[in-house]
Amino acid sequence: MGDKRILVLAGLDPTGGAGLLADVSILREEGIHSLGVPTALTIQSGEKVQKVERVSARYFERALSSATTSLPPDGIKIGMIFSAPIGRATHKFLEDRRNIPAVLDPVLFASGGEPLILDETMAVLKMIIPLCNLVTPNIGELDVLAELFNVKGTGIEKRGLELSGKIDVPLLVKGGHRKGEKGVDLLFSQEKISRFHPEKVGGKDFHGTGCALSSLIAAMLVKGHSLKSAISFAKKSIEMRMAKGWKSPGGRWFLSS
Ligand code: PLP
């Protein structure tokens, strides 16, 4: 432990099912030490996000600078950003660290529809995206990003290709909420599409799978895997964790270790 480190910038979900706590625990299972700075503080049950509170930019910037100066990370995973000042500090940090992989899960809404980003943050999100090495939207997030980057194409394939070309960053569109080809993730990179098929299509309502997937991809990139191999590994690992998952008393499912 400790020879590879990932910086996690994500929201704090006190249930541990998503966000910073979930990211740190899955990275530890891969033998990776996490540095973590919360981008926002959520109040949620295992079922629903009830409220999101800002963290101060002053705390965020100082914590980020102090931790990463003493322990430089080998990779970065970014999840929920929430507010514009945190987005600006994240952007500045990424500009100075172009030499290490950064995976962005553009968390915009919770599964229940609660917004996890403020409107004020969309402009800085647009500046952050081109500084990343992979962006992992779900279908709903793809639609919002397509609008943000003025993508004209319709349908997942045209949109994905056009958007990844515009941002010049590979795009992994997660298929968990797709109607056709359910569970098939599409990677758009260098004008090509690669498909990642699930072994089994599950119908359960899981919490935090997107967070875990992007963290595992970042872990594999830091370990030297190619992008496709990192995605394949991460997808299989999530499926295995879903197969062994557990149901919370309120009915949603959590990934197992
Ligand atoms: N809370 C945090 C901090 C998150 O990052 C996320 C999703 O990424 C959620 C809540 C919502 O998770 P879900 O969509 O599984 O409800």
Side-chain angles (χ1 to χ4, degrees):
M1 263 314 258
D3 57 330
K4 292 287 180 203
R5 297 185 285 267
I6 288 185
L7 169 69
V8 181
L9 302 177
L12 188 78
D13 165 8
T15 73
L20 190 55
L21 296 179
D23 292 327
V24 169
S25 62
I26 205 157
L27 289 171
R28 176 166 283 262
E29 285 181 39
E30 287 306 321
I32 289 188
H33 175 81
S34 301
L35 311 173
V37 188
T39 52
L41 307 175
T42 73
I43 300 175
Q44 51 187 300
S45 62
E47 318 314 315
K48 198 172 167 345
V49 177
Q50 290 148 350
K51 193 164 191 298
V52 185
E53 301 223 343
R54 291 172 185 257
V55 297
S56 77
R58 189 179 138 85
Y59 166 75
F60 184 82
E61 282 164 19
R62 290 189 62 185
L64 184 58
S65 160
S66 190
T68 57
T69 303
S70 62
L71 291 166
D74 302 290
I76 309 174
K77 139 78 201 250
I78 304 164
M80 174 182 181
I81 296 174
F82 192 58
S83 64
I86 299 304
R88 285 194 288 273
T90 302
H91 178 257
K92 183 168 181 308
F93 186 81
L94 285 174
E95 271 191 320
D96 297 340
R97 308 283 165 132
R98 299 304 300 273
N99 53 335
I100 56 172
V103 177
L104 170 70
D105 180 15
V107 175
L108 304 178
F109 302 100
S111 306
E114 303 82 12
L116 298 177
I117 191 164
L118 297 170
D119 287 347
E120 65 172 37
T121 315
M122 294 311 283
V124 69
L125 179 67
K126 194 171 177 184
M127 291 160 63
I128 288 173
I129 285 173
L131 301 182
C132 296
N133 299 76
L134 178 70
V135 182
T136 65
N138 60 29
I139 302 289
E141 290 158 351
L142 172 68
D143 289 344
V144 177
L145 297 186
E147 205 180 312
L148 189 64
F149 283 90
N150 200 19
V151 165
K152 299 274 181 264
T154 52
I156 296 174
E157 298 198 0
K158 282 204 188 111
R159 284 202 154 173
L161 281 172
E162 194 180 330
L163 179 59
S164 85
K166 274 199 169 170
I167 60 181
D168 200 16
V169 173
L171 195 68
L172 181 70
V173 178
K174 295 172 288 190
H177 297 106
R178 286 179 68 182
K179 295 212 173 64
E181 290 202 306
K182 188 164 165 57
V184 179
D185 298 343
L186 300 182
L187 174 68
F188 300 92
S189 178
Q190 294 175 337
E191 298 177 21
K192 290 203 187 70
I193 307 180
S194 312
R195 288 182 144 68
F196 296 84
H197 289 267
E199 272 175 19
K200 204 172 124 225
V201 179
K204 292 174 182 157
D205 176 22
F206 268 91
H207 179 44
T209 46
C211 302
L213 183 81
S214 51
S215 286
L216 282 173
I217 295 173
M220 292 305 119
L221 292 178
V222 157
K223 289 182 184 184
H225 287 244
S226 69
L227 184 56
K228 281 191 191 171
S229 144
I231 294 171
S232 263
F233 174 92
K235 188 168 175 67
K236 282 203 184 83
S237 171
I238 298 294
E239 280 185 33
M240 201 186 71
R241 289 159 197 277
M242 288 169 91
K244 293 192 288 172
W246 52 278
K247 193 175 180 186
S248 67
R252 288 196 83 191
W253 286 75
F254 281 51
L255 295 175
S256 123
S257 51

